Amino acid sequence: MDTGGAADRDSSLSDEDGTACRGLGRRGDGARLPGLGLLLGGSSSSSSGASTPREAEPSPPSAASAPCRPGGAAVTAGGDGPGGAASEEASAVLVAAGDAAGKPSVKRKVRRQWAFDDEWEVGGFDKEVPNPALEFPFELDPFQKRAVRRVERSEHVLVCAHTSAGKTVIAEYAIAHALRQGMRTIYTSPIKALSNQKFREFSKRFEGVGTVGIVTGDVAVNPDAGVVIMTTEILRSMLYRGDKGLNSVKWVIFDEVHYVNDADRGVVWEEVIILLPAEVSMVMLSATVPNYEEFAGWVGRTKRRPVYTVHTSYRPTPLRHFLHFQGRTMPLLDAEGFHCEAFHKIKEIMSEKKKPPVRKVKHVTVKFESRPFGMTPLKAGAVATAVPPEEGAAASSSSAAAAAAAAEGGAPRVPTSSAYVVDKVNADDPSKPAWRLGVRPGWVLVAVNGADVRVMTLDAIQQAAKEAPLPAMLDFEVPPKDKDEKKQPEQPHQKQHTRESRERTETQRLQALLRELQAEELLPATVFVFSRRRVESLAAEMPNIDVCTGAEKSKVHIFLKDAFERLCEADKALPQVKFTIELAKRGIGIHHGGLLPLVKEAVEIMFSRGLVKVLLATETFAMGVNMPARSVIFTSWVKHDGARLRPLLPSEYTQMAGRAGRRGLDEVGNVYLLCGEDAPDQKQLTQIMTHKAERLNSRFRVTFAMILQLRRGGNGVKIEDVLGRSFLENGRAMRRPSVRRDLARRVEELDQIPLVQCIFGEPLMEEYAPWETEARAVGVQMHEQLYKPHVREKVFCPGRVLRVFKVGSFASSIAVLLGHGGGAGRSLLVAALLPGDLPGAEGSPSASSDCAGGSNDTEGGPPVQVQAGWIARTTSVTLEGVVQIFEQCLDVGLCRSALAAEANDNGASAAADGGAVGGLLALGRELLRLASEGGTQPLVLNKVSRQVDIEAHDTLQRQRRLQQLQETSRCHTCPLRAAHFEQSLMRSSVAAEIEDLDKELGAESLGLLPQLHAREKVLQALGCIGKDGLITLKGRAATEVLSGDEVTILEIVFHNVLDGSTPEYVAAAISAFVFPDKVDEEAEEVPLPKPLIRIRDAMLQHHKRIENLLREHGVDVDPEEPSRMCNVALMGIAYRWACGESLANIMPDTWLQEGTIVRSIVRAEELLRKLQDVAKLLGNMKLRQVFKEAAELIHRDIAFVPSLYIQ
């Protein structure tokens, strides 16, 4: 238990170690520092656990050595959990923070690390856990022993291991650990199917030890049991309500905690972890992720207790991966590594397939009974032209080109060595029989009356044909035709690889692979298919696959008879039920989200019993129920994720492939990738199979339900605190210790900078300094443009009057340009008029200016006294030191004289050179006259360049205004102006850093704060939150919903849209808020009665108004979210169901699947029960009765058949 600092942590949830760092107000020296605060201490803690010597864990700090708060309270690094683990293994640094009054600095420990990788040597497990809370019939793996040891110490533990590695062992031990102490355990799962399965498992495991309960949206069995299984959403609702049942909870087990990555539901996991009481310990079970330490660190920092990570890549049953390509199975990945030769083998197979087949030459004998024959041979060296014979005379009836066409590389193809190749056949003269007898161009004459003529010359062959007695028997060889010769343009309906043909080929290859696995006794197998439609079509297209024995068929029959016994006759006749029974008799099962829950559970149980040996399933089977097989088959490694077609992520592949191999039954698990017609992409497959899994990323977002629940109060948590503790803000939280350290240092630095002591006794520099700072920056960009070569000579010419400054020397002062410095730099030589007096001059102040004129410039020439209180001196400034450019130009001759004074930097020489000094003095007087009379005018740009940006005119006006403001201040003529300005600048710079650091520690730096404010404005516009920020009655009613689009639902209730409606209409209307599936736009909707059409239109109108409000106030919304939140596509089906129609009667009229309809009906019934509480809260008992009757109407038949796991 946390024994110290709990009150501090609860009162300042967003602060890292429970202490406020806000609002010191006015400091001891009188300076106002808005929003500044100092961290004074942390929460106290005590330690009760001792580390073992072999762990080499750091000892906890003793109370005597711990630094103290004012008042004597010891300050340690955060609160510790049971066993003193927080102080035992805290990684801390000491930070010195002096207070504002200059008191001695107090050393404070700031925790740097919250996650610790557990590498404890497991050899001492029996000594550490001499009396285990739960015995196992097998030796635990090292990672299981480490995790069990942490559970025994009641410490947070995150276990990352592959699928089927045995993570459930740790969950079971935590349950037993709590039961032994007379406390409870909550087991959360991401999906309802997994909750049902765990209820069945734990009921058997802890029979006689403790009771097991389950709470889901529609089921509540033993909710007060020692072990309660529920979805994470149910636990969140309990935390928001402040359920008293949480007081006796010892452990919360998060199964599949990597669901925090889920785009839609990941926020729920973060909310629950943030809201859980500090004394509740957590077991988090996750797949392997690369940044598990970062996630564990966030959990530890959020709960103020260390989190121990147990990570293993060990698989109890190793996997072998194969490519199955065109009937051949090739190893791809195993213990020896990745086999790239599999891809080389596929390329060989593909190249063999591409080789042209050997084509047989056809022999034809033609009987000629008259001469002339009517055919002409191809002359040696001639090239025949192919002209279709139907186009004209026999003279053009030639396609000898076909006979001489290029077989390869364009070489003539002649099947024999005969010199007689028919070139033309006369088709017009019936007295010439060759064409009528079928002879065609390209044929080769090889024999005349049985005599071989292939070795004869062309002339000899022609002579033999003429002299042959009639009837003459001529033998021809007909060369094979090239497929490309008569290739017709491909029609859209004649594509070689249509979806139907590809699917047929895929089915045939899958059947062949399954028969191969059956012959090698590698069943059962799970076949992953990434389409519900394809799952069912594949199963239907394999009628000849039968993997069940006679005894197994009998068991299937008995089981299904019992499982479906409670269905009515109409439901038993549903196509899906009949199809499942037919498949199961052959040992085949299907599993996807569109199945009826009862059917899905029946398939799962048969698969776990070995009755179903071939399971065709979507990926949800791998993400939920834990049912491994001997083999896993992927029909594809690309899937459509709702937005695009993409390759599987490494984590997705690992999760599904991990279902291969049953621990204790199989030596290895086999994974097969079924390839299509084309060779697989080697790079793509390599990334999928060998790259690291995706990082855990926060999906935290602000929701209306979150705002309303926390505004309602009851748990003492502010919405800003929840945002600050989210995983999304983890990086910010990790920076907090260093930010606090920097804040303390800056505060100490500010104390060491003295305040400006004005000789006039007035704090005028605080007003003057911002003007000076702005004046230095406002014209920089314009001066850059004016210094370009095409305008520089006109603007920066000798004699030009400027206002310049020099950092560390003097503040902005009027000056005259004397010339340009040498080299490639942009140095300007100027004579500046500065406030001050030379030593010994009349009226010289005794103030402590470091140098004459309040200037520290050691590079300029000697000054001259212009008048009492003013001096002139030459110096150099950079272009960036130019504050303002004026239209006036002074005498160039005086400027040349002043340059001589600049050159004579020796005091004696300068005195001797009266002309030079006189020139500088004259310039100084002229500058003083311009300054005192206000005779300076801004530069006129149209006389200089038309290319200068038009914004420069605004810059000139602003420069003029700043000049006037500065010249009215007494600081402008003060000789201490430069020193006081630098001093003020240092203080303001440090104060600004302090304010920024203070903001980073506060809620102002939260990234989601703008979205929070935007959603709060929407809620205010809807009347759910008042102007004072307090939740209204309407907002309290919305907190009772917590599902669907609670805002639109409340608008419908408050605007009386459902008043006077029958329960049937109400049930149909509510179904729109529980049906998030995408709608086929081409599908026909089930017709609605007119009253229901009115309700539908009103609902859509309110939903559209809220959508416009979201857009108006800048709320970030997924473009598809509005259509999911209020989807009226199910209303017709829901109405017919509420009217008593059977599902079998409804199915022929809809494109939706049975499981989708049933799931939505169950959710609608749950929402109707919540709306009864809303109506009761509003005092509308009539509407409450309608909601009740609507819920009763739809609560019937197959939609609410009890789960097979809970019987």
Side-chain angles (χ1 to χ4, degrees):
M1 282 292 179
D2 195 355
T3 57
D8 287 340
R9 286 194 297 277
D10 290 340
S11 63
S12 182
L13 190 61
S14 65
D15 202 83
E16 173 144 331
D17 43 11
T19 56
C21 186
R22 318 291 302 154
L24 281 185
R26 189 171 296 277
R27 296 174 48 78
D29 54 14
R32 182 71 179 175
L33 300 177
L36 172 64
L38 280 177
L39 184 66
L40 299 177
S43 56
S44 61
S45 64
S46 62
S47 175
S48 60
S51 61
T52 58
R54 61 177 169 275
E55 290 182 79
E57 294 175 343
S59 301
S62 63
S65 62
C68 295
R69 299 177 186 264
V75 179
T76 62
D80 73 311
S87 56
E88 187 178 2
E89 298 201 37
S91 175
V93 295
L94 295 177
V95 176
D99 67 11
K103 296 179 181 179
S105 61
V106 178
K107 289 187 176 180
R108 174 180 51 79
K109 285 191 176 181
V110 178
R111 184 182 296 278
R112 286 291 196 181
Q113 185 176 350
W114 291 98
F116 300 90
D117 201 5
D118 194 339
E119 297 180 352
W120 174 68
E121 178 55 50
V122 299
F125 178 75
D126 293 337
K127 293 182 180 179
E128 283 284 320
V129 189
N131 183 25
L134 187 65
E135 298 286 350
F136 296 92
F138 51 85
E139 179 73 15
L140 297 182
D141 292 333
F143 86 92
Q144 293 171 330
K145 290 182 178 179
R146 292 190 180 99
V148 165
R149 173 174 172 265
R150 293 298 173 186
V151 171
E152 193 67 33
R153 291 175 152 209
S154 299
E155 295 166 342
H156 294 320
V157 60
L158 170 64
V159 182
C160 297
H162 287 300
T163 304
S164 304
K167 298 188 290 290
T168 305
V169 165
I170 296 95
E172 292 177 350
Y173 193 88
I175 293 171
H177 181 259
L179 291 174
R180 185 166 65 177
Q181 297 183 15
M183 301 187 74
R184 305 173 66 211
T185 300
I186 292 178
Y187 185 101
T188 71
S189 68
I191 57 178
K192 180 181 174 183
L194 184 57
S195 297
N196 293 340
Q197 187 192 42
K198 289 300 178 184
F199 176 80
R200 184 187 183 95
E201 289 182 10
F202 292 160
S203 296
K204 293 181 179 179
R205 186 74 173 94
F206 297 101
E207 186 176 2
V209 179
T211 56
V212 178
I214 182 170
V215 179
T216 59
D218 59 321
V219 175
V221 178
N222 297 332
D224 299 322
V227 185
V228 183
I229 301 162
M230 61 182 65
T231 58
T232 318
E233 283 81 358
I234 297 293
L235 178 56
R236 178 183 62 172
S237 299
M238 294 175 64
L239 289 167
Y240 277 136
R241 294 197 311 267
D243 197 300
K244 295 181 179 179
L246 296 172
N247 295 336
S248 58
V249 172
K250 172 68 176 177
W251 288 98
V252 170
I253 301 168
F254 293 95
D255 198 359
E256 311 283 354
V257 75
H258 54 269
Y259 254 75
V260 74
N261 249 359
D262 186 81
D264 294 327
R265 301 173 59 209
V267 59
V268 180
W269 273 257
E270 293 191 49
E271 288 180 79
V272 169
I273 290 173
I274 293 169
L275 296 173
L276 271 177
E279 63 273 11
V280 175
S281 300
M282 289 182 285
V283 170
M284 294 164 282
L285 308 178
S286 170
T288 54
V289 290
N291 63 329
Y292 65 92
E293 290 179 322
E294 178 187 358
F295 180 75
W298 166 71
V299 175
R301 190 174 297 104
T302 300
K303 307 313 297 179
R304 314 301 306 146
R305 285 172 56 185
V307 176
Y308 297 91
T309 59
V310 179
H311 180 269
T312 180
S313 57
Y314 168 72
R315 285 189 181 275
T317 307
L319 299 181
R320 297 184 304 182
H321 304 257
F322 300 91
L323 275 178
H324 189 79
F325 184 76
Q326 295 187 5
R328 306 186 191 184
T329 301
M330 292 154 282
L332 184 59
L333 179 65
D334 54 27
E336 297 179 0
F338 198 83
H339 299 282
C340 295
E341 57 269 21
F343 296 97
H344 301 319
K345 183 65 175 176
I346 288 176
K347 289 181 180 179
E348 292 177 5
I349 297 173
M350 295 288 290
S351 61
E352 289 177 4
K353 184 179 179 180
K354 290 179 180 179
K355 288 181 180 178
V358 179
R359 298 169 183 172
K360 295 181 179 180
V361 178
K362 185 179 179 181
H363 292 268
V364 177
T365 301
V366 180
K367 181 179 180 181
F368 288 89
E369 296 183 349
S370 63
R371 289 191 182 89
F373 298 151
M375 57 185 185
T376 306
L378 181 66
K379 301 298 183 182
V383 178
T385 57
V387 179
E390 57 272 14
E391 289 188 5
S396 62
S397 298
S398 171
S399 60
E408 293 182 10
R413 184 183 64 226
V414 180
T416 69
S417 59
S418 176
Y420 195 111
V421 178
V422 178
D423 181 27
K424 297 177 182 179
V425 181
N426 192 330
D428 296 332
D429 189 351
S431 65
K432 298 177 180 180
W435 180 265
R436 178 169 43 83
L437 295 174
V439 180
R440 294 294 182 266
W443 287 21
V444 181
L445 182 60
V446 295
V448 177
N449 285 338
D452 193 347
V453 298
R454 283 176 293 186
V455 295
M456 300 168 61
T457 64
L458 178 59
D459 292 340
I461 297 173
Q462 287 181 297
Q463 188 64 31
K466 289 180 181 180
E467 296 176 353
L470 294 176
M473 308 296 292
L474 272 60
D475 294 333
F476 294 91
E477 284 186 354
V478 181
K481 294 181 180 179
D482 197 320
K483 288 185 178 180
D484 293 332
E485 289 179 15
K486 295 186 178 181
K487 187 174 181 180
Q488 299 297 323
E490 191 177 74
Q491 300 299 322
H493 64 281
Q494 293 176 335
K495 291 184 178 179
Q496 291 183 348
H497 299 292
T498 61
R499 187 178 73 176
E500 292 78 8
S501 64
R502 285 198 305 270
E503 290 183 352
R504 273 198 306 271
T505 304
E506 179 185 64
T507 304
Q508 293 167 359
R509 289 175 178 168
L510 178 59
Q511 287 186 92
L513 179 56
L514 289 174
R515 288 195 177 97
E516 183 181 326
L517 297 181
Q518 183 181 13
E520 296 177 7
E521 297 184 353
L522 293 178
L523 297 179
T526 301
V527 183
F528 284 110
V529 187
F530 302 113
S531 164
R532 296 181 184 180
R533 181 197 65 81
R534 187 60 182 142
V535 166
E536 297 192 359
S537 64
L538 267 176
E541 291 167 5
M542 296 190 296
N544 298 325
I545 293 291
D546 190 342
V547 293
C548 259
T549 64
E552 289 169 342
K553 291 179 188 292
S554 177
K555 292 179 181 179
V556 167
H557 174 75
I558 295 173
F559 171 77
L560 291 178
K561 182 180 179 181
D562 293 340
F564 298 153
E565 183 179 7
R566 285 165 294 173
L567 298 180
C568 64
E569 292 302 320
D571 290 337
K572 289 179 181 179
L574 281 168
Q576 193 177 93
V577 175
K578 295 171 68 175
F579 185 51
T580 301
I581 294 173
E582 179 189 343
L583 292 176
K585 291 178 180 178
R586 295 187 284 115
I588 301 174
I590 58 174
H591 191 285
H592 59 72
L595 289 182
L596 292 162
L598 185 68
V599 171
K600 190 187 299 184
E601 290 177 352
V603 172
E604 291 169 2
I605 294 173
M606 286 190 292
F607 187 74
S608 65
R609 294 180 181 180
L611 300 177
V612 167
K613 299 179 182 179
V614 176
L615 180 64
L616 299 152
T618 57
E619 63 181 312
T620 54
F621 182 78
M623 304 303 171
V625 293
N626 180 23
M627 293 184 180
R630 180 168 291 181
S631 302
V632 162
I633 302 172
F634 288 87
T635 58
S636 175
W637 48 89
V638 294
K639 73 168 191 175
H640 200 282
D641 60 4
R644 62 188 176 91
L645 192 67
R646 61 165 177 81
L648 291 177
L649 300 174
S651 58
E652 293 171 337
Y653 178 83
T654 301
Q655 184 86 4
M656 287 181 273
R659 295 302 180 190
R662 300 164 298 177
R663 185 170 186 170
L665 296 177
D666 304 321
E667 294 183 0
V668 294
N670 301 289
V671 182
Y672 299 87
L673 285 85
L674 193 64
C675 302
E677 289 290 336
D678 301 324
D681 188 323
Q682 180 176 353
K683 181 179 179 181
Q684 190 180 83
L685 273 182
T686 304
Q687 290 178 342
I688 292 173
M689 299 177 67
T690 62
H691 279 208
K692 290 183 178 179
E694 290 64 48
R695 293 170 53 86
L696 286 180
N697 295 310
S698 175
R699 304 295 182 175
F700 193 86
R701 65 183 186 277
V702 181
T703 64
F704 289 126
M706 182 191 303
I707 296 173
L708 294 171
Q709 290 285 355
L710 293 175
R711 289 289 185 195
R712 186 178 64 175
N715 47 17
V717 180
K718 296 181 179 179
I719 180 66
E720 292 83 359
D721 298 336
V722 174
L723 266 60
R725 288 196 163 221
S726 68
F727 190 32
L728 185 67
E729 297 288 343
N730 187 45
R732 172 180 172 272
M734 293 175 66
R735 294 192 302 270
R736 290 172 73 86
S738 61
V739 170
R740 288 195 185 90
R741 179 194 61 216
D742 293 342
L743 179 61
R745 289 175 178 174
R746 292 296 179 270
V747 171
E748 186 176 358
E749 183 180 343
L750 188 63
D751 287 341
Q752 294 173 358
I753 302 175
L755 292 171
V756 174
Q757 300 295 330
C758 181
I759 59 177
F760 300 111
E762 300 179 19
L764 298 176
M765 183 51 71
E766 293 182 2
E767 185 182 57
Y768 183 86
W771 297 337
E772 173 71 16
T773 302
E774 184 182 357
R776 293 184 178 190
V778 69
V780 171
Q781 186 174 1
M782 183 184 71
H783 297 161
E784 291 281 352
Q785 294 182 11
L786 294 175
Y787 200 75
K788 292 179 179 179
H790 63 285
V791 293
R792 179 171 58 198
E793 294 180 358
K794 297 179 181 179
V795 177
F796 291 94
C797 57
R800 176 71 68 185
V801 179
L802 310 169
R803 234 177 17 123
V804 297
F805 74 94
K806 193 169 186 178
V807 176
S809 298
F810 57 88
S812 58
S813 303
I814 192 170
V816 59
L817 179 63
L818 304 179
H820 297 270
R826 300 184 295 181
S827 176
L828 306 176
L829 302 177
V830 298
L833 180 68
L834 306 174
D837 292 285
L838 294 177
E842 184 179 355
S844 173
S846 59
S848 58
S849 104
D850 294 337
C851 162
S855 169
N856 297 325
D857 191 2
T858 60
E859 299 178 0
V864 296
Q865 191 77 44
V866 177
Q867 182 180 302
W870 293 98
I871 64 170
R873 72 181 305 166
T874 59
T875 186
S876 62
V877 297
T878 63
L879 179 62
E880 290 75 17
V882 176
V883 175
Q884 197 170 357
I885 305 172
F886 298 108
E887 182 67 20
Q888 286 79 7
C889 289
L890 302 186
D891 187 1
V892 178
L894 295 176
C895 293
R896 293 195 183 108
S897 300
L899 279 175
E902 168 70 14
N904 297 325
D905 55 2
N906 183 281
S909 300
D913 192 351
V917 173
L920 180 59
L921 180 61
L923 286 175
R925 288 172 177 170
E926 186 64 19
L927 290 173
L928 182 60
R929 182 188 65 79
L930 288 173
S932 59
E933 296 177 0
T936 55
Q937 297 295 327
L939 181 68
V940 179
L941 291 179
N942 57 7
K943 294 182 179 180
V944 179
S945 173
R946 296 180 180 178
Q947 301 178 10
V948 179
D949 195 334
I950 193 172
E951 293 181 1
H953 295 279
D954 297 332
T955 301
L956 291 173
Q957 295 300 320
R958 184 58 185 161
Q959 285 179 335
R960 183 64 174 169
R961 177 60 180 159
L962 290 170
Q963 178 191 2
Q964 294 172 350
L965 290 172
Q966 288 181 267
E967 289 175 351
T968 58
S969 173
R970 299 181 67 179
C971 292
H972 195 64
T973 58
C974 176
L976 299 177
R977 177 180 60 155
H980 286 177
F981 173 74
E982 295 296 335
Q983 189 176 337
S984 176
L985 192 64
M986 290 177 61
R987 285 189 62 84
S988 61
S989 176
V990 175
E993 289 186 42
I994 290 174
E995 189 168 356
D996 290 340
L997 293 170
D998 192 47
K999 285 182 178 179
E1000 188 166 354
L1001 291 175
E1004 295 90 343
S1005 65
L1006 293 174
L1008 286 175
L1009 198 63
Q1011 283 301 301
L1012 170 63
H1013 293 160
R1015 286 187 177 266
E1016 286 179 335
K1017 290 177 182 177
V1018 173
L1019 290 174
Q1020 287 179 359
L1022 294 173
C1024 295
I1025 294 178
K1027 293 182 179 180
D1028 54 2
L1030 299 178
I1031 190 170
T1032 63
L1033 176 63
K1034 188 176 182 180
R1036 292 183 64 84
T1039 61
E1040 299 294 334
V1041 180
L1042 265 184
S1043 62
D1045 185 359
E1046 59 274 346
V1047 178
T1048 303
I1049 294 173
L1050 263 295
E1051 284 298 292
I1052 292 169
V1053 172
F1054 269 75
H1055 285 83
N1056 305 318
V1057 173
L1058 301 177
D1059 281 10
S1061 300
T1062 64
E1064 291 84 357
Y1065 290 157
V1066 169
I1070 295 303
S1071 71
F1073 302 102
V1074 293
F1075 180 60
D1077 292 17
K1078 286 187 176 181
V1079 179
D1080 187 352
E1081 295 181 356
E1082 298 180 359
E1084 295 184 5
E1085 293 186 4
V1086 177
L1088 302 177
K1090 288 185 179 180
L1092 199 52
I1093 293 176
R1094 178 190 60 80
I1095 294 174
R1096 181 197 62 186
D1097 293 343
M1099 288 167 45
L1100 291 176
Q1101 183 179 356
H1102 284 290
H1103 186 68
K1104 186 65 178 179
R1105 183 171 66 89
I1106 294 172
E1107 187 179 346
N1108 293 335
L1109 278 174
L1110 296 175
R1111 190 179 298 108
E1112 177 185 339
H1113 291 286
V1115 177
D1116 292 338
V1117 179
D1118 186 337
E1120 294 185 357
E1121 184 175 349
S1123 61
R1124 293 200 309 264
M1125 298 297 284
C1126 185
N1127 189 346
V1128 298
L1130 191 73
M1131 287 180 64
I1133 296 173
Y1135 174 71
R1136 291 174 62 177
W1137 178 265
C1139 290
E1141 287 194 47
S1142 67
L1143 190 60
N1145 194 36
I1146 294 173
M1147 288 309 300
D1149 300 329
T1150 179
W1151 53 273
L1152 296 172
Q1153 293 179 310
E1154 293 92 332
T1156 302
I1157 295 173
V1158 166
R1159 186 170 61 249
S1160 298
I1161 290 172
V1162 171
R1163 290 175 178 173
E1165 192 265 351
E1166 179 186 353
L1167 181 54
L1168 284 167
R1169 283 190 278 112
K1170 293 178 180 179
L1171 289 174
Q1172 295 176 42
D1173 296 332
V1174 171
K1176 182 179 179 181
L1177 180 64
L1178 300 177
N1180 191 338
M1181 304 310 295
K1182 183 178 180 180
L1183 184 60
R1184 181 175 184 271
Q1185 182 62 27
V1186 173
F1187 285 143
K1188 181 180 179 182
E1189 292 178 8
E1192 292 172 351
L1193 282 176
I1194 63 175
H1195 189 103
R1196 63 178 178 83
D1197 296 346
I1198 196 169
F1200 292 90
V1201 173
S1203 168
L1204 296 176
Y1205 291 117
I1206 305 179
Q1207 290 182 14

